[in-house]
Structure formats: C-alpha cells, structure tokens
Amino acid sequence: MKSDSAPQLLSKLNWSSAIIRRYHDRQNIFLEGDKKAWIYRVEAGTVCLYKMLANGRQQIFGFPIRNEIIGLEAGDEYQLSALSMGITRLRCLPVTLLDREARTDADFALHLYEAISSELEATRELLITLGQHGSTERMAVFLLNLAGRNRGGKTQLLNLPMTRFDIADFLGMTIETVSRALARLGEMKLIVVRGRSKIQVKDIDGLQQLAGLPEQHIEAVGTPDRTS
Amino acid sequence: MKSDSAPQLLSKLNWSSAIIRRYHDRQNIFLEGDKKAWIYRVEAGTVCLYKMLANGRQQIFGFPIRNEIIGLEAGDEYQLSALSMGITRLRCLPVTLLDREARTDADFALHLYEAISSELEATRELLITLGQHGSTERMAVFLLNLAGRNRGGKTQLLNLPMTRFDIADFLGMTIETVSRALARLGEMKLIVVRGRSKIQVKDIDGLQQLAGLPEQHIEAVGTPDRTS
DNA sequence: CGTATAGTTGACCTAATTCAAAAGACGTGG
DNA sequence: CCACGTCTTTTGAATTAGGTCAACTATACG
C-alpha cells in the first residue's frame, strides 16, 4: 500500500555516499511546506507520513519502512510531514544530486515518474479502503499491509511502533474503534494482541478474506502465499 | 482536485496533430487493465475516472473536464477506467509519441513527473475530504471543485452531467445521502437544485466556509505530538 | 512503587445506510 | 401537446456502524 518504488531508484542513485541520520521516537524528519533539501531511504525503523488537519487530527498516508523512499515528489517543498516511529535510521541524499541526475538523464527522470505513479496507485488503494470498508476490514487491510511488507512467516509477530492514535488517523477512525476492531479480530481468532505494540497474526488467510474477500484490491504485497 | 497539470504538457506536445474522438453519454473510453495506447486531452464534455470494486460499486477519482489530461500514468496498462459523461470530445495522442519524447528529453520526462505529482496531491485531498468531512461538507467540496474548474461568475449555473449515483460513488456515500445533502444545502440557501442536472450556486462563500475553508491544512509548528 | 500515559471497555448518541414508497423527470408514441 | 411508462430522484421511517463521553485497566517510566 505504500511506496514500493525503491528498487528501481536504488540502482541509479549513489546511495552509498549518502549520510546516515538517526532519529528516536517521534522526531520530525521534515514538515509539510519545508523546503525540500533531502530525499531519504529508510534503513531501519518506521516513518509516518501525514498531513496536519484543521481539526487537530491528521491524515496519515502511510508508514514507510526499510528500503522505502520518502520525500520523493515534484516541487521544492515537501507536501507531507514525516515523523519517526520508534528508533529510525535514514539514508539522506541531497535533492540537488537527484535533480541534476534527473535533468540530464531522461531515463532516470522516467524512473521518478514511475515511482510517483506507484505512490499514486497506493494512495488510491488507501482511498478505496477508507471509503468502502468497515472498521474491522480496514484494520485487517492495515495489518496485512504491515505483514506483507515485513516479509515474515505464516504466523507473524507484527511490531507496531505507532500508537493507536496513529492507526486511527491512518484508517480514518477513532482510537476507540481501533481498539474494538482489534478486539473483534481477536475474537475471530485471526490475531492476538500482545501488549500495546505487538500483534501476533494467527490466520493470515482469514485476514485476507476479511480485508477484501475478492482478490480485487488487496494485492499481496510481498506475501508469497496467496491461496486464492 | 483533478489534474490541472495540462499547461506544461500542452506546450511540449504536438496536440494539433492529434485525432479527435467523439463520445456520447456513458461510453467507455478505456478500461482499467487495457493496454495503454493513447493519452487524451478533454476538449469538451466531462470524463469520469473510476475503478470498479468487488461489491458492484465503484470508486470514482475525478471528473476531468476541458483541457485536462487523462490516461497519463506510468506502466503499459491504464490503472483506471474512463467513461464519458454526456457528449464528450477528446483529443488523442499515441503513447508511443509521448514515450519517445520522454525517453529522449529529460525535461519532458520531468514534466510527466510533475504532472503525476500534482495528481497524487489531488488524490490526497480527495482522501482527506472523504475521511474527515460529513456528507454535506463533502457535497460542498464537490460543488466547489466543479464550480472552480468551470470558471464562471459568482452565481454559477453548474452542469452535472453525472448521475446521483456517480456523485455518491465519488464522495463515498449513497444516492439517498447525496440527495439529502443537496436538500440541506438548498435549505441553507447555498444552492438551488434545478432538475436533475443543473445546480445554481447561490452563495459560493457559504459553500467555501462549509467545505472547511480552503486552507484546511495547518502546518505543524513545533511538535506534531497531539497529546503533549 | 506511584504516577502518568496509553489502551480498553461500556453506555449512549448521531450520522449515514437501508428499506420502502412517493414524486418528479424524460422519452415515446399517439 | 398530452398520456403513458420507465427511470431517476426525493422523501420518510427504521436500523446500524461508528463516534462521543466517561470510567476503568494496563503499561511504561521515573
């Protein structure tokens, strides 16, 4: 559901020369409207991409993790804010470098085009999830997305570095509903909630089924086992 | 809210040589998954961009009108379906032409990048609208969006070539709720509903205010931590 | 430990969906 | 131009999912 656009870019860009920056929990990486100076690749940890809203809430657009790129968008300002969720390590590349490459190398510029395109596609998926599914299903989608990108076994222990508040803002609901949705998934024996930041996935197929029944819009991001 | 990215592209592309294609009401222009052969610029009428969903409904992502570009995305398949709303005229450009240009001209490729970027931004706005606003507000946003892109006077007569069903699928609600939302806006003296496809905007400022005031994104000054 | 913060659970309320039916728009043929 | 039938839209009543408010519990941290 989030930017899986890294692979192509990695090849072209000289990331090895990039600086590594370390964040602890809930540090701002950049804010919407900041002048864009760097693009980042997540090396470890999780990032939260969001926009602040007038009502004090925020709309979260994703939680990029290891190997995903953030800050990649046209314009000279960031269009989203980024926050570290837990201890996080980022590799930073000056945009100037990216810009120079893009201006001279059409092929590279096209990679940018593709990367943003897939980001757009991901955002559309999110929009569909929010618009069309109930709270329990949305939670299932969220967990599957995490599980998929974490690339684990069948019985995964998911790490949730984000708070219930963040999850609520991501899925467009309240923390209470998040809590109840998790409880319901628990009752259904699909997951076990372990403390505030660990969730054991017991029945990934069940989740999958809940999340979208028909294959349609839940592409198994990374998960090798797709039963249907 | 939709792709207003045309201007830059227009300058580079040789649209004058492009074929014109005519559609009447509710004809498919292309379908999600179709091999991408053309990109289009709307000359007249309205297009509906959507994805079919498993439950028989559809998520609509926008209603591009005159001068807006459709079919512009990376990949060799369309990621959305497009349907004409009312009599519609499109100028068609073979993607091969666009591709050739993009592969050789880095500057042009960057324009594509920017175009998609603004599309992404628009989709994010839509997501926020759907996620955070009530039905009446959403309707206000929709009407303002139409009014804004139609560029008219203060007391506009809006043409709605799409059905209530389409509006419902765009705003993530039911036709009944669409109807009630319009009725409510009527009671508030903000609009007058004239038949099934015309709406007279009486108080655009009132709509704007309802919609959440144009500036709904507060930049986070300081810590975005909600609680502390 | 004890306090603060995060999360859960319960009771109630509201907005939107659902189901049902009436009213209005539109096209057709007389 | 009117009468008719179909389809779209509106309106109403009942239902429900999720939000809100409030109390309670669990967890992290000093």
Side-chain angles (χ1 to χ4, degrees):
Chain A
M1 189 182 276
K2 264 271 97 286
S3 51
D4 290 302
S5 35
Q8 309 100 308
L9 283 169
L10 298 179
S11 52
K12 273 276 180 179
L13 288 174
N14 184 10
W15 285 98
S16 56
S17 77
I19 305 162
I20 294 241
R21 219 176 269 175
R22 287 152 211 281
Y23 299 82
H24 23 270
D25 194 27
R26 298 206 153 251
Q27 280 191 287
N28 279 313
I29 298 159
F30 51 79
L31 292 177
E32 184 185 356
D34 279 359
K35 188 139 192 320
K36 203 191 310 176
W38 308 85
I39 67 162
Y40 304 83
R41 188 180 65 178
V42 183
E43 294 289 306
T46 304
V47 172
C48 168
L49 294 175
Y50 67 97
K51 280 196 186 206
M52 261 304 169
L53 304 178
N55 57 0
R57 293 193 59 176
Q58 48 190 23
Q59 178 64 56
I60 292 176
F61 292 94
F63 296 102
I65 59 172
R66 199 166 131 73
N67 283 332
E68 299 182 325
I69 306 284
I70 67 177
L72 192 64
E73 260 177 283
D76 57 354
E77 296 179 354
Y78 294 112
Q79 294 180 11
L80 301 174
S81 305
L83 191 67
S84 60
M85 316 287 314
I87 291 175
T88 299
R89 224 166 55 236
L90 302 181
R91 210 172 268 272
C92 324
L93 206 72
V95 273
T96 52
L97 230 152
L98 183 113
D99 280 352
R100 184 167 345 126
E101 186 80 9
R103 261 199 293 277
T104 55
D105 181 351
D107 199 48
F108 179 72
L110 273 176
H111 279 324
L112 294 182
Y113 174 51
E114 283 158 18
I116 288 287
S117 263
S118 72
E119 187 77 19
L120 173 58
E121 189 57 16
T123 303
R124 286 189 183 135
E125 294 294 330
L126 177 58
L127 194 155
I128 289 174
T129 300
L130 298 202
Q132 310 289 346
H133 297 307
S135 59
T136 316
E137 294 149 292
R138 276 185 257 180
M139 184 56 67
V141 171
F142 170 67
L143 293 176
L144 280 171
N145 178 25
L146 272 191
R149 295 185 305 148
N150 273 341
R151 199 144 300 178
K154 281 204 153 56
T155 305
Q156 287 197 52
L157 185 62
L158 287 181
N159 194 30
L160 305 186
M162 68 291 291
T163 66
R164 298 289 189 267
F165 236 117
D166 297 321
I167 300 174
D169 282 340
F170 183 51
L171 298 179
M173 49 207 220
T174 60
I175 49 170
E176 292 94 331
T177 305
V178 167
S179 207
R180 285 187 250 265
L182 286 173
R184 215 165 310 146
L185 292 178
E187 290 161 17
M188 296 179 192
K189 310 282 186 210
L190 302 182
I191 63 168
V192 177
V193 180
R194 297 202 187 289
R196 69 176 56 170
S197 63
K198 294 259 186 299
I199 286 184
Q200 178 116 34
V201 177
K202 287 293 190 184
D203 179 359
I204 206 162
D205 297 327
L207 277 182
Q208 210 108 5
Q209 196 163 351
L210 230 188
L213 306 155
E215 63 304 272
Q216 206 77 1
H217 287 297
I218 315 297
E219 84 256 88
V221 211
T223 21
D225 44 349
R226 67 184 78 183
T227 43
S228 48
Chain B
M1 191 181 272
K2 264 268 101 282
S3 51
D4 290 303
S5 37
Q8 310 101 307
L9 284 169
L10 298 179
S11 53
K12 274 276 180 179
L13 288 174
N14 185 11
W15 285 99
S16 55
S17 77
I19 305 161
I20 293 238
R21 221 176 267 175
R22 288 153 209 281
Y23 299 83
H24 22 271
D25 194 29
R26 301 205 152 251
Q27 279 192 287
N28 279 314
I29 298 160
F30 51 78
L31 291 178
E32 184 186 356
D34 279 359
K35 191 143 190 316
K36 202 189 312 175
W38 310 85
I39 68 163
Y40 304 83
R41 189 179 64 177
V42 183
E43 292 290 305
T46 303
V47 173
C48 169
L49 294 174
Y50 68 97
K51 280 195 186 208
M52 260 305 171
L53 303 178
N55 57 359
R57 295 193 58 177
Q58 46 190 26
Q59 178 63 56
I60 292 176
F61 292 94
F63 296 102
I65 60 172
R66 200 165 131 73
N67 282 332
E68 300 182 325
I69 307 285
I70 65 177
L72 192 65
E73 260 178 281
D76 57 354
E77 295 181 353
Y78 295 110
Q79 294 180 12
L80 301 174
S81 305
L83 193 67
S84 60
M85 315 290 300
I87 291 177
T88 300
R89 223 166 56 236
L90 303 180
R91 211 172 265 274
C92 324
L93 207 73
V95 273
T96 51
L97 230 153
L98 183 112
D99 279 353
R100 183 167 346 124
E101 187 79 10
R103 261 199 292 276
T104 56
D105 181 350
D107 201 45
F108 179 72
L110 272 176
H111 279 324
L112 294 181
Y113 173 51
E114 283 158 20
I116 293 289
S117 261
S118 72
E119 188 77 21
L120 174 58
E121 189 57 17
T123 304
R124 285 188 185 137
E125 293 294 329
L126 177 59
L127 194 154
I128 288 174
T129 300
L130 298 201
Q132 310 290 128
H133 297 307
S135 60
T136 317
E137 296 150 289
R138 273 184 261 181
M139 185 57 67
V141 170
F142 170 67
L143 293 176
L144 281 171
N145 179 25
L146 271 192
R149 295 185 304 149
N150 275 341
R151 97 260 191 229
K154 283 203 151 54
T155 305
Q156 287 197 55
L157 185 62
L158 288 181
N159 194 30
L160 305 185
M162 66 291 291
T163 66
R164 298 288 188 270
F165 230 112
D166 297 322
I167 301 175
D169 280 341
F170 183 53
L171 297 178
M173 50 208 217
T174 60
I175 49 170
E176 293 96 330
T177 305
V178 167
S179 206
R180 286 186 249 265
L182 285 173
R184 217 164 309 146
L185 291 178
E187 292 161 14
M188 295 180 192
K189 312 281 187 209
L190 302 181
I191 64 170
V192 177
V193 181
R194 298 202 186 289
R196 70 176 58 169
S197 64
K198 294 260 187 297
I199 286 185
Q200 177 115 35
V201 177
K202 286 293 191 186
D203 179 358
I204 204 162
D205 297 327
L207 276 182
Q208 208 109 5
Q209 198 161 351
L210 231 190
L213 305 159
E215 263 21 301
Q216 51 196 11
H217 302 305
I218 298 174
E219 30 243 292
V221 200
T223 45
D225 295 9
R226 55 185 66 269
T227 40
S228 53

